[in-house]
């Protein structure tokens, strides 16, 4: 009887681990998509347009990473 109770207690553990693994993968993918979209959109701007926004081309990746992190933190 103790073995059955022990197995029942552990029965949900792999499913919980799998669910959290899937959620983590979804979050990483969403973060990656936002990052790529931001990089692509800012990269299409000219240096003049970036300067008008107060940005430099070297800032694009950092800003994209910040945008992705903020989006996923919601």
């Amino acid at each position: 009887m103790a073995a059955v109770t022990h197995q029942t207690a552990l029965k949900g553990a792999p499913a919980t681990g799998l669910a959290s693994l899937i959620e983590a993968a979804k979050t990483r993918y969403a973060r990656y998509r936002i990052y790529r979209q931001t990089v692509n959109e800012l990269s299409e701007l000219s240096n003049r347009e970036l300067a008008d926004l107060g940005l430099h081309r070297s800032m694009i990746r950092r800003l994209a990473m910040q945008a992705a992190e903020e989006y996923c933190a919601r």
Side-chain angles (χ1 to χ4, degrees):
M1 184 85 160
V4 172
T5 304
H6 182 66
Q7 288 177 350
T8 304
L10 295 177
K11 186 175 181 180
T16 303
L18 181 59
S20 65
L21 183 64
I22 291 171
E23 282 302 313
K26 286 181 182 179
T27 302
R28 281 193 308 271
Y29 183 68
R31 187 181 305 130
Y32 170 76
R33 294 288 300 170
I34 296 297
Y35 172 80
R36 288 305 320 156
Q37 181 180 2
T38 306
V39 167
N40 291 339
E41 289 178 6
L42 290 175
S43 295
E44 290 177 359
L45 298 176
S46 69
N47 288 338
R48 176 62 186 238
E49 292 169 324
L50 287 171
D52 287 345
L53 295 172
L55 304 175
H56 188 269
R57 194 158 298 278
S58 64
M59 300 168 70
I60 291 175
R61 289 185 180 166
R62 180 176 50 86
L63 291 171
M65 187 62 70
Q66 287 175 349
E69 290 296 327
E70 288 175 11
Y71 180 81
C72 289
R74 292 185 211 172

